[in-house]
Amino acid sequence: MAEPRQRGQGGAREIITTTLARMILSGEIAPGERLPTEETLRTQMDVSRTALRESVRMLAAKGLVESRPRVGTIVQPAANWNHLDSELLAWREALPPDLGFIRALTEARQVIEPAAAEMAAHRADGTDLGRMEDAFRRMCAARGDDIDETVAADEAFHYAILMASRNEIFSNFGAVIGSALRMSFRLTTQASENFGASLETHRNVLEAIRMREAETARHLMTELIGVAARDLTRAAEARAGGAAVAGA
């Protein structure tokens, strides 16, 4: 039987991988459950066996599934997933916001970013400061009117600080910042604290780093990420209240 050739191999693999990943990340196929059989997936998606197997291997490499002889392909516990993988983050962004995951990202930011700001105050050079200044100017220009640009500028500001820390592990955390900001914004638009006050805190972080005031930079960054954490708490409370009303 000839294998389907409706799509290029690479395009088909991308579609299969994305579709299966979103089913797993959304809980449609829960940890411990098996993926549909290879023949079922081939029929449903009209794809080749080769493309399907390559997609499953990609998902396995990210910790989402494990193929077992005579058992099938099993979805792995969430603890096994490579949560900081850039593709996993992108797939999550396309799904309804997951409050628990966004909270986990925010908690990670609360630990890493204050330390990065402190290090940046010791290690930033002129190029680093230029990146921060450019990002801050973009934030001021956007002023919340352009949501996409505001988030992109905010992401660039925080990423510039991670880079200025000269810590390679912190630098690799950059993709997480963007995802955390975008997913949080979808949840907390109505709950967000005064944008102007947040903008002023960004300005103060920049000035503390410029003036080599390491402890102040750490404190201000802690305050800044704290705003996001409080927004998230309010969003969670609003969701809980809405659920209670719906169930009344």
Side-chain angles (χ1 to χ4, degrees):
M1 172 177 158
E3 296 206 333
R5 297 182 181 277
Q6 286 85 348
R7 308 181 190 91
Q9 195 76 5
R13 182 174 61 245
E14 181 178 346
I15 291 170
I16 300 163
T17 306
T18 299
T19 300
L20 292 176
R22 289 178 180 172
M23 292 171 71
I24 294 167
L25 293 170
S26 69
E28 183 177 343
I29 306 177
E33 293 183 354
R34 286 194 293 268
L35 294 186
T37 66
E38 186 175 274
E39 289 306 312
T40 297
L41 290 172
R42 287 186 62 207
T43 300
Q44 290 176 345
M45 298 184 179
D46 190 24
V47 294
S48 72
R49 179 178 287 106
T50 299
L52 180 58
R53 289 179 176 176
E54 287 177 355
S55 293
V56 170
R57 282 196 291 271
M58 288 179 66
L59 295 175
K62 298 176 188 299
L64 293 177
V65 300
E66 181 183 32
S67 295
R68 302 173 186 170
R70 296 184 297 278
V71 175
T73 302
I74 310 298
V75 175
Q76 294 299 285
N80 292 7
W81 302 351
N82 184 2
H83 291 285
L84 302 188
D85 179 272
S86 60
E87 286 186 303
L88 257 69
L89 290 169
W91 291 327
R92 280 189 181 277
E93 286 184 41
L95 297 171
D98 180 335
L99 184 60
F101 183 69
I102 298 171
R103 180 181 289 113
L105 290 181
T106 303
E107 289 172 349
R109 294 184 67 196
Q110 287 178 300
V111 173
I112 291 173
E113 292 196 65
E118 181 178 9
M119 292 178 187
H122 290 298
R123 302 171 181 174
D125 60 19
T127 299
D128 295 314
L129 290 170
R131 290 194 193 102
M132 294 176 216
E133 290 165 355
D134 288 344
F136 182 70
R137 280 195 291 269
R138 286 173 59 192
M139 292 180 68
C140 292
R143 296 294 297 183
D145 297 326
D146 183 338
I147 294 172
D148 290 338
E149 173 59 14
T150 299
V151 172
D154 199 357
E155 177 183 1
F157 181 86
H158 288 271
Y159 183 62
I161 292 174
L162 292 171
M163 292 288 289
S165 73
R166 296 290 186 276
N167 182 299
E168 294 177 355
I169 304 302
F170 286 4
S171 298
N172 285 340
F173 192 67
V176 175
I177 302 299
S179 287
L181 288 170
R182 287 185 290 272
M183 287 189 280
S184 295
F185 194 89
R186 289 166 62 193
L187 266 179
T188 62
T189 302
Q190 300 304 316
S192 183
E193 294 184 8
N194 181 270
F195 179 78
S198 173
L199 198 62
E200 187 62 25
T201 306
H202 282 81
R203 184 197 309 276
N204 292 338
V205 169
L206 172 57
E207 287 306 309
I209 292 173
R210 190 198 313 277
M211 300 304 294
R212 307 296 183 189
E213 297 172 351
E215 285 300 320
T216 300
R218 172 185 276 274
H219 171 75
L220 289 168
M221 184 59 78
T222 299
E223 180 181 321
L224 192 56
I225 308 302
V227 172
R230 290 192 294 274
D231 284 350
L232 199 58
T233 297
R234 283 196 293 274
E237 290 170 350
R239 273 192 166 191
V245 170

mmCIF file of all heavy atoms in Angstrom, residues 97-120:
data_model
loop_
_atom_site.group_PDB
_atom_site.id
_atom_site.type_symbol
_atom_site.label_atom_id
_atom_site.label_comp_id
_atom_site.label_asym_id
_atom_site.label_seq_id
_atom_site.Cartn_x
_atom_site.Cartn_y
_atom_site.Cartn_z
ATOM 1 N N PRO A 97 -5.032 29.337 28.748
ATOM 2 C CA PRO A 97 -4.013 29.516 29.792
ATOM 3 C C PRO A 97 -4.130 28.484 30.908
ATOM 4 O O PRO A 97 -5.218 28.212 31.407
ATOM 5 C CB PRO A 97 -4.305 30.933 30.316
ATOM 6 C CG PRO A 97 -4.992 31.621 29.189
ATOM 7 C CD PRO A 97 -5.808 30.565 28.514
ATOM 8 N N ASP A 98 -2.993 27.909 31.276
ATOM 9 C CA ASP A 98 -2.910 26.943 32.362
ATOM 10 C C ASP A 98 -2.393 27.688 33.593
ATOM 11 O O ASP A 98 -1.211 28.007 33.698
ATOM 12 C CB ASP A 98 -1.951 25.813 31.964
ATOM 13 C CG ASP A 98 -1.801 24.745 33.029
ATOM 14 O OD1 ASP A 98 -2.024 25.044 34.225
ATOM 15 O OD2 ASP A 98 -1.443 23.604 32.683
ATOM 16 N N LEU A 99 -3.299 27.979 34.526
ATOM 17 C CA LEU A 99 -2.950 28.797 35.683
ATOM 18 C C LEU A 99 -1.803 28.193 36.484
ATOM 19 O O LEU A 99 -0.882 28.904 36.907
ATOM 20 C CB LEU A 99 -4.179 28.970 36.572
ATOM 21 C CG LEU A 99 -4.036 29.879 37.779
ATOM 22 C CD1 LEU A 99 -3.667 31.295 37.356
ATOM 23 C CD2 LEU A 99 -5.331 29.895 38.588
ATOM 24 N N GLY A 100 -1.831 26.887 36.690
ATOM 25 C CA GLY A 100 -0.781 26.242 37.469
ATOM 26 C C GLY A 100 0.579 26.371 36.815
ATOM 27 O O GLY A 100 1.586 26.643 37.484
ATOM 28 N N PHE A 101 0.625 26.216 35.494
ATOM 29 C CA PHE A 101 1.903 26.311 34.794
ATOM 30 C C PHE A 101 2.409 27.748 34.797
ATOM 31 O O PHE A 101 3.604 28.000 35.002
ATOM 32 C CB PHE A 101 1.773 25.800 33.360
ATOM 33 C CG PHE A 101 3.065 25.794 32.606
ATOM 34 C CD1 PHE A 101 4.076 24.906 32.948
ATOM 35 C CD2 PHE A 101 3.284 26.678 31.559
ATOM 36 C CE1 PHE A 101 5.289 24.898 32.259
ATOM 37 C CE2 PHE A 101 4.488 26.684 30.869
ATOM 38 C CZ PHE A 101 5.484 25.786 31.221
ATOM 39 N N ILE A 102 1.518 28.713 34.596
ATOM 40 C CA ILE A 102 1.926 30.119 34.611
ATOM 41 C C ILE A 102 2.445 30.495 35.997
ATOM 42 O O ILE A 102 3.426 31.232 36.134
ATOM 43 C CB ILE A 102 0.768 31.033 34.194
ATOM 44 C CG1 ILE A 102 0.338 30.709 32.762
ATOM 45 C CG2 ILE A 102 1.183 32.503 34.291
ATOM 46 C CD1 ILE A 102 -0.931 31.405 32.327
ATOM 47 N N ARG A 103 1.808 29.971 37.032
ATOM 48 C CA ARG A 103 2.289 30.234 38.387
ATOM 49 C C ARG A 103 3.701 29.674 38.569
ATOM 50 O O ARG A 103 4.563 30.323 39.175
ATOM 51 C CB ARG A 103 1.345 29.634 39.424
ATOM 52 C CG ARG A 103 1.796 29.886 40.865
ATOM 53 C CD ARG A 103 0.862 29.260 41.881
ATOM 54 N NE ARG A 103 -0.418 29.971 41.931
ATOM 55 C CZ ARG A 103 -1.586 29.464 41.542
ATOM 56 N NH1 ARG A 103 -1.652 28.233 41.055
ATOM 57 N NH2 ARG A 103 -2.689 30.182 41.632
ATOM 58 N N ALA A 104 3.945 28.480 38.034
ATOM 59 C CA ALA A 104 5.275 27.871 38.143
ATOM 60 C C ALA A 104 6.323 28.727 37.423
ATOM 61 O O ALA A 104 7.437 28.920 37.930
ATOM 62 C CB ALA A 104 5.258 26.457 37.577
ATOM 63 N N LEU A 105 5.974 29.243 36.232
ATOM 64 C CA LEU A 105 6.898 30.117 35.520
ATOM 65 C C LEU A 105 7.189 31.383 36.323
ATOM 66 O O LEU A 105 8.334 31.846 36.391
ATOM 67 C CB LEU A 105 6.312 30.505 34.161
ATOM 68 C CG LEU A 105 6.220 29.429 33.077
ATOM 69 C CD1 LEU A 105 5.639 30.027 31.799
ATOM 70 C CD2 LEU A 105 7.560 28.791 32.799
ATOM 71 N N THR A 106 6.147 31.939 36.921
ATOM 72 C CA THR A 106 6.321 33.168 37.700
ATOM 73 C C THR A 106 7.194 32.917 38.920
ATOM 74 O O THR A 106 8.055 33.743 39.277
ATOM 75 C CB THR A 106 4.952 33.733 38.119
ATOM 76 O OG1 THR A 106 4.158 33.967 36.949
ATOM 77 C CG2 THR A 106 5.097 35.034 38.889
ATOM 78 N N GLU A 107 7.007 31.784 39.577
ATOM 79 C CA GLU A 107 7.842 31.450 40.731
ATOM 80 C C GLU A 107 9.304 31.298 40.313
ATOM 81 O O GLU A 107 10.216 31.718 41.046
ATOM 82 C CB GLU A 107 7.328 30.170 41.388
ATOM 83 C CG GLU A 107 6.006 30.366 42.125
ATOM 84 C CD GLU A 107 5.395 29.066 42.622
ATOM 85 O OE1 GLU A 107 5.876 27.974 42.227
ATOM 86 O OE2 GLU A 107 4.434 29.136 43.399
ATOM 87 N N ALA A 108 9.535 30.713 39.126
ATOM 88 C CA ALA A 108 10.908 30.595 38.631
ATOM 89 C C ALA A 108 11.501 31.979 38.371
ATOM 90 O O ALA A 108 12.670 32.245 38.686
ATOM 91 C CB ALA A 108 10.937 29.756 37.353
ATOM 92 N N ARG A 109 10.689 32.875 37.814
ATOM 93 C CA ARG A 109 11.160 34.240 37.578
ATOM 94 C C ARG A 109 11.515 34.931 38.898
ATOM 95 O O ARG A 109 12.494 35.686 38.958
ATOM 96 C CB ARG A 109 10.086 35.048 36.844
ATOM 97 C CG ARG A 109 9.788 34.599 35.433
ATOM 98 C CD ARG A 109 8.786 35.548 34.775
ATOM 99 N NE ARG A 109 9.378 36.866 34.580
ATOM 100 C CZ ARG A 109 8.671 37.963 34.314
ATOM 101 N NH1 ARG A 109 7.352 37.901 34.243
ATOM 102 N NH2 ARG A 109 9.283 39.117 34.136
ATOM 103 N N GLN A 110 10.723 34.682 39.937
ATOM 104 C CA GLN A 110 10.976 35.328 41.226
ATOM 105 C C GLN A 110 12.320 34.910 41.823
ATOM 106 O O GLN A 110 12.920 35.668 42.594
ATOM 107 C CB GLN A 110 9.846 35.013 42.208
ATOM 108 C CG GLN A 110 8.546 35.740 41.897
ATOM 109 C CD GLN A 110 7.427 35.371 42.854
ATOM 110 O OE1 GLN A 110 7.043 34.205 42.947
ATOM 111 N NE2 GLN A 110 6.896 36.350 43.568
ATOM 112 N N VAL A 111 12.778 33.726 41.475
ATOM 113 C CA VAL A 111 14.072 33.249 41.974
ATOM 114 C C VAL A 111 15.218 33.753 41.092
ATOM 115 O O VAL A 111 16.231 34.266 41.585
ATOM 116 C CB VAL A 111 14.090 31.708 42.038
ATOM 117 C CG1 VAL A 111 15.488 31.199 42.395
ATOM 118 C CG2 VAL A 111 13.065 31.206 43.044
ATOM 119 N N ILE A 112 15.046 33.626 39.769
ATOM 120 C CA ILE A 112 16.155 33.852 38.846
ATOM 121 C C ILE A 112 16.387 35.326 38.520
ATOM 122 O O ILE A 112 17.529 35.807 38.525
ATOM 123 C CB ILE A 112 15.919 33.040 37.545
ATOM 124 C CG1 ILE A 112 16.061 31.541 37.850
ATOM 125 C CG2 ILE A 112 16.891 33.464 36.444
ATOM 126 C CD1 ILE A 112 15.687 30.641 36.703
ATOM 127 N N GLU A 113 15.328 36.068 38.247
ATOM 128 C CA GLU A 113 15.522 37.425 37.731
ATOM 129 C C GLU A 113 16.112 38.415 38.750
ATOM 130 O O GLU A 113 16.933 39.258 38.375
ATOM 131 C CB GLU A 113 14.236 37.954 37.120
ATOM 132 C CG GLU A 113 13.867 37.199 35.834
ATOM 133 C CD GLU A 113 12.838 37.933 35.000
ATOM 134 O OE1 GLU A 113 13.154 39.025 34.497
ATOM 135 O OE2 GLU A 113 11.721 37.415 34.873
ATOM 136 N N PRO A 114 15.740 38.365 40.031
ATOM 137 C CA PRO A 114 16.426 39.258 40.971
ATOM 138 C C PRO A 114 17.931 38.980 41.032
ATOM 139 O O PRO A 114 18.743 39.915 41.098
ATOM 140 C CB PRO A 114 15.726 38.965 42.304
ATOM 141 C CG PRO A 114 14.348 38.521 41.902
ATOM 142 C CD PRO A 114 14.579 37.702 40.661
ATOM 143 N N ALA A 115 18.296 37.704 41.015
ATOM 144 C CA ALA A 115 19.723 37.355 41.026
ATOM 145 C C ALA A 115 20.404 37.856 39.757
ATOM 146 O O ALA A 115 21.537 38.362 39.797
ATOM 147 C CB ALA A 115 19.893 35.845 41.162
ATOM 148 N N ALA A 116 19.717 37.735 38.618
ATOM 149 C CA ALA A 116 20.282 38.212 37.360
ATOM 150 C C ALA A 116 20.477 39.726 37.384
ATOM 151 O O ALA A 116 21.494 40.244 36.891
ATOM 152 C CB ALA A 116 19.375 37.815 36.197
ATOM 153 N N ALA A 117 19.510 40.447 37.958
ATOM 154 C CA ALA A 117 19.633 41.908 38.038
ATOM 155 C C ALA A 117 20.821 42.298 38.913
ATOM 156 O O ALA A 117 21.566 43.242 38.597
ATOM 157 C CB ALA A 117 18.342 42.506 38.591
ATOM 158 N N GLU A 118 21.011 41.585 40.016
ATOM 159 C CA GLU A 118 22.149 41.864 40.895
ATOM 160 C C GLU A 118 23.469 41.624 40.165
ATOM 161 O O GLU A 118 24.396 42.447 40.238
ATOM 162 C CB GLU A 118 22.064 40.983 42.142
ATOM 163 C CG GLU A 118 23.188 41.217 43.131
ATOM 164 C CD GLU A 118 23.061 40.359 44.382
ATOM 165 O OE1 GLU A 118 22.201 39.454 44.414
ATOM 166 O OE2 GLU A 118 23.824 40.604 45.334
ATOM 167 N N MET A 119 23.554 40.504 39.453
ATOM 168 C CA MET A 119 24.771 40.207 38.700
ATOM 169 C C MET A 119 24.998 41.238 37.596
ATOM 170 O O MET A 119 26.137 41.654 37.332
ATOM 171 C CB MET A 119 24.678 38.809 38.094
ATOM 172 C CG MET A 119 24.709 37.689 39.099
ATOM 173 S SD MET A 119 24.528 36.079 38.279
ATOM 174 C CE MET A 119 24.398 35.003 39.719
ATOM 175 N N ALA A 120 23.896 41.646 36.932
ATOM 176 C CA ALA A 120 24.017 42.628 35.853
ATOM 177 C C ALA A 120 24.580 43.942 36.369
ATOM 178 O O ALA A 120 25.343 44.629 35.666
ATOM 179 C CB ALA A 120 22.656 42.850 35.193
#
